[in-house]
Amino acid sequence: MPSYTAPVKDMQFVLHDVLKVTEQSVPGYDELEADFTSAILEEAGKISSEVLQPLNVVGDTEGCVLENGVVRTPTGFKAAFDQMKEGGWTALDCDPEYGGQGMPYLLGVAVGEQFTAANMAFNMYQGLTHGAYSAIHAHGTDEQKATYLPNMVSCDWTGTMNLTEPHCGTDLGLMRTKAAPQGDGSYKITGQKIFISAGEHDMSDNIIHLVLAKIEGGPEGIKGVSLFIVPKFMVNEDGSLGARNGATVGSIEEKMGIHGNSTCVMNYDDATGYLLGTEHKGMRAMFTMMNEARIGVGLQGYAQAEVAYQNAVVYANDRLQGRDVTGDKNPDGPADPLIVHPDIRRNLMDQKSFVEGARAFTYWGANMIDQHVRADDDAAHGIVSLITPVIKGFLTDKGFEYATAAQQVYGGHGYIEEWGMSQFARDARITQIYEGANGVQALDLVGRKLAQDGGKHVMAFFEMVKSFIKENGGSEDYDKAFLDPLKAASKDLQAAGMYFMQNGMKNPNHALAGSYDFMHMFGHVCLGLMWAKMGKAAMDALEGGASDTNFYETKIATGKYYMARQLPATAMHLSRIESGADTVMALDAANF
């Protein structure tokens, strides 16, 4: 059976050596002393490895069962959920006014990585609840907040998001779910939603569905979409639970992975709902939840790669196959361990350098969300809006790629279920699809985010890279290994943006056909920037007399690998982009 150990030391390195959280003027960050964050991450790590990880295979093999309208979660899930609630883990970064602990979002992300790596399907129950909490917290009335948030913070009640319908996913303007005003401030919601994660289960007393629907007589298309709070059980004025609402589960989706999460078809039959936010502005309210969810999905992508990598390293050290071509490394045994072979090393270094870069990238994004929310920093909000589709799209594409790369280390055993590696690949696969398929993320990046506010955010990003290179140059070894590759990759990214500007106006397909490559190019540049930051932090630590020289030297070597072997991919992506749309669009539909 696979295992998982929380990489606390690496998390601490990103928080304190790279981001230097206690030196930032963000309210609440002064409390994030190394001893404090270490204690939290160590405790979360114990729960992850001892409670959640052993249930991962249980959830995968048992799945969820629908019985008489109620979904039964896998054996052990409810007890583990109760333990999470009792420990306050569901309330870590929530508003203290509603029972939360008020810690920064960044710390919630770091803890969330551990829970997700240990058991992705399980963590989705509280993850979806946190997103619904955030939407109500941002857009709800005082009465709605008081009614729903305390129980959602504690996860006594859980939450969902209901967007997709059988005939519409990305194009939500096509939705048919209707909301009929009742004259008392409530609405009757009628329609069907599909792919609803945690839509029904037996781990909470109530489920608060956030449902997109169209108010009768409203504008056509996406401009007519509103967001509604639709509880599973009605809530009485005294806060107690009342009658069952007209929100029921039709079936559980049979999925490739995340079997431990109840992905439901939800039927709304004159269900009572309450408007969240403003009429016909449902997407604005929903995107509060969606943006948080997209960063969370990016985290899911690299977290599955992390746990898969950990197990692949163990196997590569234990499995004896072949001899080292430079000389026996295990002369007393029948063969050498897999890890002596260069191609296995390449595979593992690809995984390791990606995961560690992705962690820093995600924490950096979470840090900017805190800067915006806690310190009212609009510039940080602009950057994180720009990079959110990159975090979601790039990290999940690569997360799946490296989860399967870890499976490859096992050879045939990786394809056999008893070794557990296929679950990581199957669970990671959904991350490329939900919360906006990655092709849509790329279109959002190129079609909307680059030009947002006159392009000032992408220009600010380039200036950030340029300033970092200028301020940190001077060491020949560091410049050659980290700054020169970063500079070259950044120039490739700027050249791609210039191509879009010069050609996209004349023919939009020239931009859209290159959007996916641009998203990956942007992702590589972001990870290159993170590795340049981590390389500098590690070198500074060594010069400062750090005792754990092996950790920092390993970090530098891993960073040099990424800069030399992965970052040059930007040149390939640029070449593809500059080839334009003609070859992409050459065939008539009938010729595919």
Side-chain angles (χ1 to χ4, degrees):
M1 180 183 291
S3 62
Y4 171 70
T5 302
V8 173
K9 188 173 182 64
D10 199 70
M11 293 174 166
Q12 287 283 88
F13 168 73
V14 176
L15 292 174
H16 299 287
D17 293 61
V18 180
L19 296 177
K20 301 183 185 298
V21 287
T22 56
E23 298 177 18
Q24 295 189 32
S25 56
V26 177
Y29 273 36
D30 57 331
E31 300 177 9
L32 301 181
E33 296 287 349
D35 288 346
F36 176 70
T37 57
S38 177
I40 289 176
L41 294 175
E42 290 284 358
E43 190 60 32
K46 290 179 183 177
I47 294 172
S48 298
S49 60
E50 297 172 9
V51 178
L52 301 186
Q53 198 281 326
L55 291 175
N56 200 37
V57 67
V58 176
D60 189 50
T61 53
E62 287 189 14
C64 297
V65 179
L66 178 60
E67 296 178 345
N68 300 319
V70 177
V71 172
R72 305 298 179 191
T73 51
T75 303
F77 268 45
K78 190 176 191 308
F81 200 66
D82 289 342
Q83 187 173 340
M84 296 283 283
K85 287 159 53 179
E86 291 164 7
W89 295 105
T90 64
L92 199 66
D93 62 335
C94 296
D95 190 340
E97 183 175 349
Y98 304 104
Q101 298 180 43
M103 295 183 190
Y105 176 67
L106 172 59
L107 193 59
V109 166
V111 169
E113 179 196 324
Q114 298 183 7
F115 294 160
T116 300
N119 194 326
M120 178 173 151
F122 176 91
N123 195 61
M124 288 171 64
Y125 290 97
Q126 66 185 37
L128 269 295
T129 304
H130 192 285
Y133 152 86
S134 295
I136 296 173
H137 189 271
H139 301 283
T141 64
D142 290 342
E143 181 181 1
Q144 288 172 337
K145 293 177 188 178
T147 299
Y148 300 106
L149 293 189
N151 283 304
M152 294 179 74
V153 167
S154 67
C155 271
D156 288 334
W157 300 353
T158 55
T160 70
M161 55 194 299
N162 288 238
L163 292 82
T164 308
E165 299 182 7
H167 58 282
C168 72
T170 301
D171 190 354
L172 292 171
L174 297 175
M175 74 173 53
R176 297 171 185 158
T177 301
K178 299 296 183 184
Q182 297 301 293
D184 61 355
S186 69
Y187 294 76
K188 289 298 183 182
I189 311 298
T190 301
Q192 185 180 78
K193 299 289 184 176
I194 63 172
F195 307 156
I196 309 306
S197 300
E200 169 63 41
H201 58 86
D202 57 359
M203 300 197 298
S204 65
D205 298 328
N206 203 3
I207 300 176
I208 310 305
H209 302 287
L210 296 192
V211 183
L212 286 177
K214 290 183 175 180
I215 298 173
E216 295 175 347
E220 292 296 318
I222 199 68
K223 293 181 179 179
V225 172
S226 301
L227 184 61
F228 298 89
I229 298 172
V230 185
K232 173 182 173 180
F233 289 101
M234 301 303 295
V235 182
N236 298 321
E237 289 188 9
D238 64 358
S240 62
L241 296 183
R244 177 71 186 257
N245 203 358
T248 58
V249 57
S251 63
I252 300 176
E253 305 281 11
E254 294 290 335
K255 309 185 299 292
M256 176 180 175
I258 54 169
H259 296 149
N261 194 270
S262 53
T263 307
C264 298
V265 174
M266 295 299 300
N267 296 320
Y268 294 92
D269 301 302
D270 280 339
T272 299
Y274 305 94
L275 184 68
L276 178 60
T278 307
E279 281 189 2
H280 316 312
K281 301 294 183 183
M283 291 308 297
R284 181 171 64 182
M286 182 61 84
F287 266 104
T288 298
M289 192 173 183
M290 289 282 284
N291 285 333
E292 178 182 310
R294 285 172 175 172
I295 290 176
V297 172
L299 182 151
Q300 288 179 331
Y302 84 78
Q304 292 307 292
E306 162 71 37
V307 65
Y309 164 74
Q310 287 189 16
N311 286 277
V313 169
V314 172
Y315 188 84
N317 278 284
D318 290 346
R319 176 75 165 173
L320 302 181
Q321 292 287 285
R323 288 295 188 186
D324 187 335
V325 296
T326 64
D328 295 354
K329 295 298 186 292
N330 180 34
D332 296 330
D336 291 329
L338 280 173
I339 202 163
V340 306
H341 303 300
D343 191 60
I344 294 293
R345 293 290 189 99
R346 172 204 57 78
N347 190 339
L348 293 174
M349 286 296 285
D350 281 349
Q351 297 172 51
K352 179 178 174 62
S353 63
F354 163 73
V355 167
E356 294 178 15
R359 175 176 298 117
F361 182 30
T362 305
Y363 290 13
W364 183 60
N367 177 206
M368 284 190 285
I369 289 177
D370 279 332
Q371 289 175 2
H372 169 60
V373 173
R374 290 173 170 255
D376 201 26
D377 186 339
D378 288 337
H381 178 61
I383 293 290
V384 80
S385 294
L386 173 70
I387 66 172
T388 291
V390 183
I391 290 175
K392 195 282 181 186
F394 181 70
L395 298 192
T396 58
D397 276 349
K398 290 296 181 180
F400 174 72
E401 177 183 336
Y402 291 128
T404 58
Q407 187 182 29
Q408 187 75 11
V409 172
Y410 283 67
H413 291 297
Y415 202 66
I416 303 301
E417 290 295 337
E418 69 180 88
W419 288 88
M421 297 303 289
S422 96
Q423 184 183 354
F424 302 136
R426 288 185 285 102
D427 287 357
R429 183 65 183 89
I430 185 58
T431 65
Q432 299 170 283
I433 300 171
Y434 63 10
E435 306 306 338
N438 286 353
V440 176
Q441 301 299 325
L443 295 179
D444 176 49
L445 174 64
V446 171
R448 294 179 62 245
K449 298 298 173 61
L450 289 186
Q452 197 169 37
D453 296 328
K456 86 173 186 179
H457 305 307
V458 71
M459 295 307 296
F461 175 82
F462 287 134
E463 185 59 36
M464 187 183 298
V465 174
K466 182 179 177 181
S467 296
F468 180 84
I469 292 171
K470 183 178 180 180
E471 293 167 6
N472 292 281
S475 165
E476 183 177 354
D477 179 47
Y478 177 70
D479 290 358
K480 182 178 179 181
F482 290 95
L483 296 188
D484 290 349
L486 176 60
K487 186 184 299 183
S490 181
K491 287 182 177 179
D492 286 342
L493 188 63
Q494 292 177 66
M498 186 62 67
Y499 175 84
F500 292 153
M501 288 179 60
Q502 293 172 344
N503 297 274
M505 293 297 290
K506 292 179 287 187
N507 181 358
N509 282 342
H510 284 314
L512 300 183
S515 61
Y516 212 93
D517 280 283
F518 188 81
M519 180 179 72
H520 273 247
M521 181 190 289
F522 210 142
H524 277 299
V525 172
C526 287
L527 260 65
L529 177 60
M530 293 304 105
W531 271 116
K533 288 176 178 286
M534 289 191 286
K536 184 67 166 61
M539 289 180 176
D540 287 348
L542 290 173
E543 290 176 6
S547 58
D548 192 353
T549 57
N550 182 63
F551 174 84
Y552 292 108
E553 288 171 353
T554 299
K555 186 65 65 176
I556 293 166
T558 305
K560 287 181 175 179
Y561 179 90
Y562 191 89
M563 305 306 271
R565 300 282 302 225
Q566 295 293 329
L567 195 55
T570 58
M572 173 194 69
H573 290 300
L574 176 60
S575 180
R576 288 176 175 176
I577 288 168
E578 291 180 336
S579 72
D582 291 346
T583 56
V584 175
M585 306 301 293
L587 294 183
D588 291 333
N591 293 330
F592 278 89

